[in-house]
Short mmCIF file of all heavy atoms in Angstrom, two decimals:
data_model
loop_
_atom_site.label_atom_id
_atom_site.label_comp_id
_atom_site.label_asym_id
_atom_site.label_seq_id
_atom_site.Cartn_x
_atom_site.Cartn_y
_atom_site.Cartn_z
N LYS A 1 56.17 121.89 92.18
CA LYS A 1 56.05 120.56 91.57
C LYS A 1 56.69 120.49 90.20
O LYS A 1 56.71 119.43 89.57
CB LYS A 1 54.60 120.17 91.47
CG LYS A 1 53.92 119.82 92.81
CD LYS A 1 54.62 118.59 93.33
CE LYS A 1 53.81 117.90 94.43
NZ LYS A 1 54.40 116.61 94.77
N LEU A 2 57.26 121.60 89.72
CA LEU A 2 57.81 121.64 88.38
C LEU A 2 58.90 120.60 88.15
O LEU A 2 58.86 119.87 87.15
CB LEU A 2 58.37 123.03 88.06
CG LEU A 2 59.09 123.20 86.70
CD1 LEU A 2 58.19 122.82 85.56
CD2 LEU A 2 59.64 124.56 86.57
N ASP A 3 59.87 120.49 89.03
CA ASP A 3 60.96 119.55 88.83
C ASP A 3 60.48 118.11 88.78
O ASP A 3 60.93 117.33 87.95
CB ASP A 3 62.02 119.69 89.92
CG ASP A 3 62.87 120.96 89.75
OD1 ASP A 3 62.94 121.44 88.59
OD2 ASP A 3 63.39 121.46 90.76
N GLU A 4 59.54 117.76 89.64
CA GLU A 4 58.99 116.40 89.62
C GLU A 4 58.28 116.08 88.29
O GLU A 4 58.44 115.01 87.74
CB GLU A 4 58.02 116.20 90.80
CG GLU A 4 58.73 116.23 92.15
CD GLU A 4 57.74 116.14 93.29
OE1 GLU A 4 56.85 115.26 93.26
OE2 GLU A 4 57.85 116.99 94.22
N VAL A 5 57.49 117.03 87.80
CA VAL A 5 56.76 116.82 86.56
C VAL A 5 57.76 116.75 85.40
O VAL A 5 57.64 115.88 84.50
CB VAL A 5 55.73 117.95 86.32
CG1 VAL A 5 55.13 117.85 84.93
CG2 VAL A 5 54.64 117.88 87.41
N ARG A 6 58.74 117.62 85.37
CA ARG A 6 59.75 117.58 84.30
C ARG A 6 60.48 116.26 84.27
O ARG A 6 60.66 115.66 83.20
CB ARG A 6 60.74 118.76 84.49
CG ARG A 6 61.78 118.82 83.33
CD ARG A 6 62.89 119.80 83.66
NE ARG A 6 63.51 119.58 84.93
CZ ARG A 6 64.45 118.64 85.20
NH1 ARG A 6 64.81 117.81 84.22
NH2 ARG A 6 64.98 118.52 86.38
N GLU A 7 60.87 115.76 85.44
CA GLU A 7 61.56 114.47 85.50
C GLU A 7 60.68 113.34 85.04
O GLU A 7 61.11 112.44 84.32
CB GLU A 7 62.05 114.22 86.95
CG GLU A 7 63.21 115.09 87.31
CD GLU A 7 63.57 114.99 88.82
OE1 GLU A 7 63.06 114.08 89.48
OE2 GLU A 7 64.34 115.85 89.29
N ALA A 8 59.40 113.38 85.42
CA ALA A 8 58.46 112.30 85.02
C ALA A 8 58.31 112.30 83.50
O ALA A 8 58.28 111.22 82.87
CB ALA A 8 57.14 112.50 85.69
N LEU A 9 58.20 113.47 82.88
CA LEU A 9 58.06 113.55 81.44
C LEU A 9 59.33 113.14 80.71
O LEU A 9 59.29 112.51 79.65
CB LEU A 9 57.60 114.95 81.01
CG LEU A 9 56.14 115.31 81.36
CD1 LEU A 9 55.91 116.79 81.07
CD2 LEU A 9 55.18 114.44 80.62
N SER A 10 60.48 113.49 81.29
CA SER A 10 61.77 113.13 80.68
C SER A 10 61.94 111.61 80.69
O SER A 10 62.45 111.04 79.70
CB SER A 10 62.93 113.77 81.42
OG SER A 10 62.89 115.16 81.27
N GLU A 11 61.51 110.96 81.79
CA GLU A 11 61.60 109.49 81.86
C GLU A 11 60.79 108.81 80.79
O GLU A 11 61.09 107.74 80.32
CB GLU A 11 61.19 109.00 83.22
CG GLU A 11 62.20 109.31 84.31
CD GLU A 11 61.72 108.94 85.69
OE1 GLU A 11 60.67 108.27 85.80
OE2 GLU A 11 62.39 109.34 86.69
N LEU A 12 59.66 109.44 80.35
CA LEU A 12 58.81 108.87 79.32
C LEU A 12 59.37 109.12 77.94
O LEU A 12 58.88 108.54 76.98
CB LEU A 12 57.41 109.51 79.39
CG LEU A 12 56.57 109.18 80.60
CD1 LEU A 12 55.25 109.93 80.53
CD2 LEU A 12 56.34 107.69 80.67
N GLY A 13 60.36 109.99 77.81
CA GLY A 13 60.94 110.28 76.52
C GLY A 13 60.39 111.51 75.85
O GLY A 13 60.52 111.64 74.60
N ALA A 14 59.74 112.36 76.57
CA ALA A 14 59.24 113.63 75.98
C ALA A 14 60.45 114.41 75.50
O ALA A 14 61.39 114.67 76.24
CB ALA A 14 58.43 114.43 76.99
N SER A 15 60.42 114.80 74.22
CA SER A 15 61.61 115.42 73.63
C SER A 15 61.80 116.87 74.01
O SER A 15 62.86 117.42 73.84
CB SER A 15 61.53 115.30 72.10
OG SER A 15 60.35 115.92 71.65
N GLY A 16 60.78 117.54 74.50
CA GLY A 16 60.91 118.93 74.91
C GLY A 16 59.63 119.44 75.50
O GLY A 16 58.57 118.83 75.32
N LEU A 17 59.74 120.53 76.23
CA LEU A 17 58.56 121.10 76.80
C LEU A 17 58.78 122.59 77.01
O LEU A 17 59.90 123.07 77.02
CB LEU A 17 58.12 120.45 78.09
CG LEU A 17 59.12 120.35 79.25
CD1 LEU A 17 58.90 121.49 80.25
CD2 LEU A 17 58.93 119.04 79.96
N THR A 18 57.66 123.31 77.13
CA THR A 18 57.73 124.75 77.38
C THR A 18 57.13 125.03 78.73
O THR A 18 56.09 124.48 79.09
CB THR A 18 56.91 125.48 76.30
OG1 THR A 18 57.44 125.17 75.00
CG2 THR A 18 56.97 127.01 76.50
N VAL A 19 57.79 125.88 79.50
CA VAL A 19 57.35 126.22 80.85
C VAL A 19 57.14 127.73 80.91
O VAL A 19 57.99 128.52 80.49
CB VAL A 19 58.38 125.80 81.90
CG1 VAL A 19 57.95 126.26 83.30
CG2 VAL A 19 58.59 124.30 81.87
N THR A 20 55.98 128.14 81.46
CA THR A 20 55.65 129.56 81.60
C THR A 20 55.16 129.81 83.03
O THR A 20 54.37 129.02 83.56
CB THR A 20 54.53 129.94 80.62
OG1 THR A 20 54.85 129.46 79.30
CG2 THR A 20 54.31 131.44 80.58
N GLU A 21 55.59 130.91 83.59
CA GLU A 21 55.07 131.28 84.92
C GLU A 21 53.78 132.07 84.64
O GLU A 21 53.79 133.04 83.91
CB GLU A 21 56.08 132.19 85.64
CG GLU A 21 57.31 131.45 86.09
CD GLU A 21 58.29 132.33 86.86
OE1 GLU A 21 57.90 133.45 87.30
OE2 GLU A 21 59.45 131.94 87.01
N VAL A 22 52.69 131.62 85.29
CA VAL A 22 51.40 132.25 85.10
C VAL A 22 50.77 132.53 86.44
O VAL A 22 51.25 132.06 87.47
CB VAL A 22 50.47 131.37 84.22
CG1 VAL A 22 51.02 131.23 82.80
CG2 VAL A 22 50.25 130.01 84.86
N LYS A 23 49.70 133.30 86.42
CA LYS A 23 48.91 133.55 87.63
C LYS A 23 47.46 133.29 87.29
O LYS A 23 47.01 133.53 86.19
CB LYS A 23 49.09 134.99 88.11
CG LYS A 23 50.43 135.28 88.64
CD LYS A 23 50.51 136.70 89.17
CE LYS A 23 51.88 136.94 89.77
NZ LYS A 23 51.92 138.17 90.57
N GLY A 24 46.70 132.79 88.28
CA GLY A 24 45.31 132.56 88.05
C GLY A 24 44.63 132.03 89.30
O GLY A 24 45.24 131.97 90.36
N PHE A 25 43.36 131.66 89.14
CA PHE A 25 42.64 131.08 90.25
C PHE A 25 41.57 130.15 89.69
O PHE A 25 41.13 130.29 88.56
CB PHE A 25 42.01 132.15 91.14
CG PHE A 25 40.90 132.91 90.54
CD1 PHE A 25 39.58 132.47 90.59
CD2 PHE A 25 41.16 134.11 89.87
CE1 PHE A 25 38.56 133.19 90.02
CE2 PHE A 25 40.14 134.81 89.27
CZ PHE A 25 38.85 134.37 89.34
N GLY A 26 41.18 129.21 90.52
CA GLY A 26 40.10 128.30 90.20
C GLY A 26 39.08 128.37 91.28
O GLY A 26 38.68 129.45 91.70
N ARG A 27 38.72 127.22 91.82
CA ARG A 27 37.69 127.18 92.87
C ARG A 27 38.14 127.90 94.13
O ARG A 27 37.33 128.39 94.88
CB ARG A 27 37.36 125.73 93.21
CG ARG A 27 36.57 125.06 92.15
CD ARG A 27 36.17 123.70 92.62
NE ARG A 27 35.45 123.02 91.56
CZ ARG A 27 35.33 121.72 91.49
NH1 ARG A 27 35.83 120.98 92.48
NH2 ARG A 27 34.68 121.17 90.50
N GLN A 28 39.47 127.93 94.36
CA GLN A 28 39.92 128.49 95.64
C GLN A 28 39.78 130.01 95.67
O GLN A 28 39.84 130.63 96.73
CB GLN A 28 41.36 128.05 95.92
CG GLN A 28 42.34 128.52 94.88
CD GLN A 28 43.65 127.77 94.94
OE1 GLN A 28 44.10 127.17 94.00
NE2 GLN A 28 44.30 127.80 96.07
N LYS A 29 39.65 130.66 94.53
CA LYS A 29 39.41 132.11 94.44
C LYS A 29 40.44 132.96 95.21
O LYS A 29 40.11 133.97 95.78
CB LYS A 29 38.01 132.44 94.98
CG LYS A 29 36.87 131.71 94.32
CD LYS A 29 36.51 132.35 92.98
CE LYS A 29 35.24 131.80 92.46
NZ LYS A 29 35.38 130.65 91.59
N GLY A 30 41.67 132.53 95.24
CA GLY A 30 42.70 133.29 95.92
C GLY A 30 42.65 133.06 97.42
O GLY A 30 41.96 132.17 97.91
N HIS A 31 43.35 133.88 98.16
CA HIS A 31 43.40 133.76 99.62
C HIS A 31 43.84 135.08 100.24
O HIS A 31 44.28 135.97 99.53
CB HIS A 31 44.32 132.62 100.05
CG HIS A 31 45.75 132.84 99.70
ND1 HIS A 31 46.26 132.53 98.48
CD2 HIS A 31 46.78 133.30 100.44
CE1 HIS A 31 47.56 132.82 98.42
NE2 HIS A 31 47.91 133.30 99.60
N THR A 32 43.75 135.19 101.55
CA THR A 32 44.21 136.40 102.22
C THR A 32 45.54 136.11 102.90
O THR A 32 45.80 135.00 103.34
CB THR A 32 43.19 136.86 103.28
OG1 THR A 32 42.99 135.81 104.24
CG2 THR A 32 41.87 137.19 102.67
N GLU A 33 46.37 137.10 102.98
CA GLU A 33 47.69 137.02 103.63
C GLU A 33 47.83 138.18 104.57
O GLU A 33 47.19 139.18 104.42
CB GLU A 33 48.81 136.98 102.59
CG GLU A 33 48.89 135.71 101.81
CD GLU A 33 50.11 135.65 100.93
OE1 GLU A 33 50.99 136.55 101.00
OE2 GLU A 33 50.23 134.70 100.15
N LEU A 34 48.77 138.01 105.49
CA LEU A 34 49.06 139.06 106.46
C LEU A 34 50.47 139.56 106.21
O LEU A 34 51.40 138.79 106.13
CB LEU A 34 48.94 138.48 107.88
CG LEU A 34 48.79 139.47 109.03
CD1 LEU A 34 47.53 140.27 108.88
CD2 LEU A 34 48.78 138.70 110.35
N TYR A 35 50.61 140.87 106.00
CA TYR A 35 51.95 141.46 105.76
C TYR A 35 52.09 142.69 106.63
O TYR A 35 51.32 143.65 106.50
CB TYR A 35 52.09 141.82 104.28
CG TYR A 35 53.44 142.42 103.96
CD1 TYR A 35 54.58 141.68 103.95
CD2 TYR A 35 53.54 143.77 103.67
CE1 TYR A 35 55.82 142.22 103.67
CE2 TYR A 35 54.77 144.36 103.38
CZ TYR A 35 55.92 143.57 103.39
OH TYR A 35 57.12 144.11 103.09
#
């Protein structure tokens, strides 16, 4: 969703922003995957 959010803020005239790749969890507490 990064590009959509960046475009929405640019349209409002936000002069700059900082983007960081992070990891975390909330209510979903992660998930299981099959590899």
Side-chain angles (χ1 to χ4, degrees):
K1 287 295 198 172
L2 174 60
D3 287 336
E4 292 175 49
V5 172
R6 183 189 52 79
E7 288 171 13
L9 289 171
S10 293
E11 287 175 10
L12 291 178
S15 58
L17 56 97
T18 302
V19 176
T20 311
E21 291 181 15
V22 295
K23 290 184 178 194
F25 68 89
R27 288 186 184 160
Q28 63 196 123
K29 304 279 191 270
H31 64 277
T32 59
E33 289 188 5
L34 198 61
Y35 180 72

